[in-house]
Amino acid sequence: MSAEKPNPERKTLDERAKMSELERIRHSCAHVMATAILRLWPEAQFAAGPPVENGFYYDVDLPHRISPEDFPKIEEEMKKEIKANHIFEKKIVPREQAIQDAQSGRLGGLTERPGNPSKFKIGNLEDIPEGEAISYYQNGDFIDLCAGPHVMRTGNIGAFKLTSVASAYYKGDERNPQLQRIYGTAFKNKTELEAYFTMLEEAKKRDHRKIGQEMGLFAIDTEYVGPGLPLWLPKGAAIAEELEKLAKETEFAAGYRIVKTPHIAKEKMYLTSGHLPILYAESMFPPMRLLEGDEEKREQEAFARMVDIRELKKKLDENSTEAKELEKNFRRLISEIDLLGTKYYLKAMNCPHHHRIFAAEPRSYRDLPLRLAEYGTCYRYEQSGELFGLMRVRSLNMNDAHIYCTTEQFAQEFNAVNEMYLKYFKIFGIEKYVMRFSTHDPSRLTGDNAKFVNEPELWKKTEDMVRDTLKNSGINYVEVPNEAAFYGPKIDVQVWSVIGREFTLATNQVDFAVPKRFGLVYRDKDNIDKTPLCIHRAPLGTHERFIGFLIEHYAGNFPLWLAPEQVRVLTIGDEAPLVDYAKAIVKELRSNMVRAEADFTTNPIKAKIQDAETAKVHTMLVIGPRDMQAGNVSLRVHGKGNLGAKPKADVIAEILCAIKERRG
């Protein structure tokens, strides 16, 4: 397959210095893999070989097409290099020498077999900023251009495995040569490696696309609707409704106010916010041009004049002065038509709309903090190769809100959002999490490589505020440079499912720039206009991604309050009195908003139970003649089996209580 995404940005030396022990192991293992490949195929040439999220890769140019069948012999050579326990030696060299070594073939090869000029090392050298030290790393007789870091010796690599091979363009540019990208992973020891692959196998069983189809939760109709635009089926919509209900109850108690905004807006909105023309344009759907006022009439008149011009030209010599003048007028009319109309964009984010709501009325310091929440749909043009089930989609139902506050109110508001995360984690049984605190890169405030709003003092101030709030709250967090939003620092919430799979779930962002662009102000105590800070937050992220996570987290075995089908009543037989008794139970449950269904068919009770278990129905109430006579039901819970006969009233009361309390 072809790798769709470009290579990750080159890490700075400071970022490299902060690499974890596991990242160093994986980076070192990439070099060991390159050593092994050269032992087997001396003509191989290498580009980049970084650690990545779940392992490492090396891009290699090689006439031989490497396949998984080659992995055992590559791994055997890797084991020899690890057993040799070579030191990873670092050497700093002048740029001129590095260029000479790249041209001579010394880099990315074996020192005992030089003379294989590299096609890629000169390009890699160009990526190293002027003034940054250029270094080589050598293990045994393999040497390559590398900024590190590595473990001390090859023997420090505990356990590894090659996993896959793909195609990738050099530097992620399709104009460059296509290389083979060999992926692998490494861990401190064999136990951790085996646990990782056990988790992968379990993750395959829990794949939200597979379970979602089996349970009838959602569908993606690429033929009629389009890729990345999921259709929520009734059972999936029930989960989304429950999440929205949870969020609205939580936010109402926290003083949020619900707002509604349109699905489209004028181009001016996103030019003002800064999302256009550059910072976010590639993630937005193309604009639609709408004629307003008398523009439709002007367009029709222009088209009519163009028709007249065409008719007149037919009667003239094409080379005549009059014909050429008419052609100029024709092209001028085309230009006039192109300028007619106003560009509208599908809403890619709610924040600019909420800023306009803030601006719709005069605001005082007494109004702050103002917390505006919305459960609207946003649209983002994700690349086709990046679409993935519910995890990466083009239509998103956002659990979104924006908090407008003063500097003095910031810490309390920001911490309250983080506390809301923790509350949700408890409800959903998320035990492992970390807050990724993303800051800016001061070198990218200006110039062609600018990525962040050029407000150095505000960056420092807001980053210090976020950092202090996190430290004072005792929340588990890590600091990550160069990943902030363009308008301010942010927190991305990383969570792990019960099988140990990591997900990026939600966000909490500071915005010190865009409110100013929209001219948002409030009157302070001294009757002076001031610009509020804005906190962007989405504790449940998008419903699509969060439900995808929950499907895999629970393996489709949702807790009662969240289950698509909460209760199914099963009769042992289809006699009229028994069916009437069962119908009355279903009616009572549904009158209390319980998602209850019934199976009154003539199928054997074992088959009915099996059908309900397969459908992952949370609670089954089995009813036979004896249950009916005693006013009981026989209670079964998915995955727990028969819990015995109990009074009907007690069971219904317990069901209602469990749903209300959202028990796990």
Side-chain angles (χ1 to χ4, degrees):
M1 65 180 179
S2 177
E4 294 285 345
K5 296 186 73 172
N7 290 347
E9 288 189 6
R10 183 179 184 272
K11 285 185 170 63
T12 66
L13 294 182
D14 286 342
E15 289 171 337
R16 288 174 180 273
K18 295 176 183 177
M19 273 192 191
S20 67
E21 181 184 0
L22 188 56
E23 287 175 313
R24 291 169 187 248
I25 288 173
R26 289 170 173 172
H27 190 190
S28 304
C29 201
H31 281 233
V32 168
M33 180 180 71
T35 308
I37 289 173
L38 281 169
R39 291 288 179 198
L40 296 167
W41 297 283
E43 67 275 25
Q45 293 195 3
F46 295 91
V52 289
E53 184 178 0
N54 292 311
F56 61 87
Y57 69 76
Y58 230 122
D59 287 340
V60 57
D61 182 43
L62 181 65
H64 171 75
R65 295 301 301 176
I66 292 178
S67 71
E69 286 71 32
D70 294 314
F71 289 175
K73 59 185 177 184
I74 297 174
E75 290 174 343
E76 194 59 38
E77 288 295 328
M78 291 174 69
K79 290 175 183 175
K80 293 177 184 176
E81 177 63 17
I82 290 172
K83 186 176 181 181
N85 201 23
H86 288 132
I87 293 175
F88 279 98
E89 298 180 82
K90 181 179 181 180
K91 181 180 180 183
I92 304 295
V93 297
R95 185 176 292 268
E96 294 75 15
Q97 181 182 334
I99 293 172
Q100 291 175 6
D101 289 342
Q103 292 171 339
S104 69
R106 183 165 183 253
L107 294 180
L110 301 177
T111 55
E112 65 183 31
R113 289 199 294 268
N116 188 14
S118 172
K119 302 175 186 177
F120 311 109
K121 296 306 169 183
I122 295 294
N124 289 359
L125 281 166
E126 292 172 352
D127 293 337
I128 301 176
E130 288 291 338
E132 182 177 310
I134 294 174
S135 60
Y136 300 165
Y137 271 89
Q138 181 170 348
N139 55 284
D141 57 2
F142 174 72
I143 188 169
D144 202 1
L145 177 71
C146 181
H150 291 280
V151 294
M152 181 66 70
R153 293 176 173 273
T154 59
N156 295 135
I157 298 169
F160 70 91
K161 185 175 180 62
L162 302 187
T163 55
S164 63
V165 59
S167 297
Y169 293 106
Y170 177 54
K171 293 189 176 182
D173 189 334
E174 62 185 10
R175 295 168 295 184
N176 290 335
Q178 193 176 65
L179 308 176
Q180 299 181 69
R181 178 168 289 181
I182 319 301
Y183 285 97
T185 192
F187 288 87
K188 297 177 185 177
N189 53 58
K190 188 176 180 181
T191 300
E192 290 183 6
L193 182 71
E194 289 175 349
Y196 172 73
F197 282 99
T198 298
M199 182 272 289
L200 289 184
E201 286 302 313
E202 183 62 25
K204 288 180 183 177
K205 299 175 188 175
R206 292 170 176 252
D207 189 318
H208 76 279
R209 296 167 298 174
K210 174 177 175 289
I211 294 176
Q213 182 178 9
E214 292 171 351
M215 294 182 67
L217 302 181
F218 67 93
I220 296 180
D221 185 342
T222 58
E223 182 178 2
Y224 287 92
V225 181
L229 302 170
L231 298 170
W232 289 107
L233 305 182
K235 289 184 176 181
I239 300 174
E241 287 290 317
E242 286 291 348
L243 293 179
E244 188 167 326
K245 181 181 176 184
L246 168 64
K248 285 183 175 178
E249 288 179 4
T250 303
E251 290 167 359
F252 182 82
Y256 285 77
R257 300 179 182 183
I258 299 295
V259 296
K260 297 286 185 183
T261 60
H263 290 233
I264 62 173
K266 288 183 175 182
E267 180 183 45
K268 181 179 180 180
M269 175 86 88
Y270 303 110
L271 289 172
T272 303
S273 69
H275 291 94
L276 292 177
I278 298 173
L279 292 174
Y280 209 80
E282 65 181 20
S283 296
M284 297 176 70
F285 274 83
M288 54 192 115
R289 191 183 293 273
L290 303 180
L291 300 176
E292 299 177 330
D294 67 345
E295 288 180 326
E296 186 173 357
K297 180 182 177 182
R298 288 163 58 192
E299 182 186 61
Q300 290 172 353
E301 290 173 349
F303 277 130
R305 291 200 300 273
M306 290 169 68
V307 171
D308 292 341
I309 288 172
R310 282 300 186 206
E311 291 302 317
L312 286 171
K313 280 193 66 178
K314 290 178 182 179
K315 302 173 183 179
L316 300 171
D317 181 348
E318 287 186 6
N319 296 318
S320 68
T321 302
E322 188 177 357
K324 290 179 179 178
E325 189 63 31
L326 286 172
E327 183 63 27
K328 286 182 181 179
N329 289 337
F330 187 88
R331 296 185 181 280
R332 180 176 54 77
L333 288 168
I334 291 176
S335 298
E336 288 180 5
I337 291 171
D338 287 342
L339 292 174
L340 291 174
T342 302
K343 287 183 181 178
Y344 282 80
Y345 283 83
L346 282 172
K347 180 172 64 174
M349 67 294 295
N350 292 312
C351 38
H353 292 72
H354 290 187
H355 296 335
R356 298 313 302 160
I357 288 177
F358 184 96
E361 297 176 340
R363 305 291 179 181
S364 158
Y365 71 94
R366 296 184 180 88
D367 301 319
L368 304 185
L370 178 63
R371 309 177 188 97
L372 303 179
E374 179 172 12
Y375 300 88
T377 305
C378 295
Y379 305 89
R380 294 180 185 170
Y381 189 72
E382 300 284 358
Q383 297 299 311
S384 58
E386 297 177 358
L387 298 175
F388 181 73
L390 295 177
M391 299 300 185
R392 291 294 289 270
V393 295
R394 291 173 172 169
S395 171
L396 317 98
N397 290 281
M398 298 281 286
N399 164 233
D400 207 2
H402 297 87
I403 303 170
Y404 301 88
C405 63
T406 67
T407 302
E408 294 74 23
Q409 294 166 337
F410 172 81
Q412 182 176 343
E413 293 299 314
F414 198 81
N415 189 59
V417 172
N418 290 337
E419 291 295 329
M420 190 179 288
Y421 288 137
L422 301 183
K423 175 182 177 179
Y424 287 143
F425 295 166
K426 186 175 181 180
I427 290 173
F428 295 107
I430 298 170
E431 297 181 353
K432 183 180 178 183
Y433 71 90
V434 67
M435 306 283 192
R436 283 171 54 91
F437 170 35
S438 299
T439 59
H440 80 300
D441 180 351
S443 69
R444 301 192 65 179
L445 295 178
T446 59
D448 295 338
N449 202 30
K451 182 179 177 182
F452 308 104
V453 171
N454 187 18
E455 295 278 3
E457 292 183 6
L458 286 174
W459 276 108
K460 184 180 186 311
K461 180 178 180 180
T462 52
E463 286 175 355
D464 287 345
M465 289 165 66
V466 173
R467 191 178 293 109
D468 291 344
T469 302
L470 289 169
K471 287 180 179 178
N472 292 337
S473 66
I475 288 176
N476 182 29
Y477 81 97
V478 295
E479 191 163 326
V480 184
N482 199 26
E483 290 188 12
F486 74 85
Y487 45 66
K490 67 172 182 173
I491 286 175
D492 289 316
V493 184
Q494 304 295 118
V495 299
W496 281 259
S497 68
V498 291
I499 62 167
R501 189 175 177 196
E502 183 180 0
F503 294 81
T504 301
L505 198 63
T507 188
N508 189 8
Q509 305 175 355
V510 186
D511 184 353
F512 57 74
V514 182
K516 184 177 180 181
R517 291 183 176 186
F518 278 99
L520 304 189
V521 295
Y522 68 92
R523 286 292 178 97
D524 70 3
K525 293 179 180 179
D526 299 319
N527 208 31
I528 297 172
D529 285 346
K530 289 188 176 179
T531 302
L533 281 175
C534 179
I535 298 173
H536 304 238
R537 43 108 291 179
L540 298 180
T542 70
H543 287 172
E544 287 75 14
R545 185 173 184 82
F546 191 57
I547 291 173
F549 163 76
L550 291 178
I551 291 171
E552 299 191 5
H553 183 58
Y554 293 123
N557 304 313
F558 296 97
L560 179 61
W561 71 274
L562 198 54
E565 186 178 346
Q566 294 170 314
V567 179
R568 187 178 295 182
V569 180
L570 314 174
T571 58
I572 304 175
D574 62 346
E575 292 80 5
L578 193 62
V579 170
D580 289 342
Y581 180 66
K583 284 182 177 179
I585 294 174
V586 172
K587 183 178 180 180
E588 182 176 354
L589 288 168
R590 293 187 68 84
S591 70
N592 285 283
M593 302 298 290
V594 178
R595 293 184 289 278
E597 304 292 342
D599 187 345
F600 303 143
T601 64
T602 58
N603 293 335
I605 190 61
K606 285 186 178 180
K608 292 182 179 184
I609 292 172
Q610 183 58 45
D611 287 345
E613 290 282 358
T614 300
K616 301 182 184 292
V617 177
H618 184 278
T619 297
M620 290 150 270
L621 305 182
V622 180
I623 300 168
R626 291 182 181 176
D627 297 303
M628 180 181 65
Q629 291 169 5
N632 289 340
V633 295
S634 292
L635 178 65
R636 295 184 65 92
V637 173
H638 176 62
K640 295 182 179 179
N642 185 12
L643 301 183
K646 301 178 183 293
K648 177 192 71 173
D650 292 352
V651 170
I652 291 176
E654 179 63 17
I655 288 172
L656 297 179
C657 187
I659 292 173
K660 182 178 180 180
E661 294 176 1
R662 294 190 175 96
R663 296 179 191 166

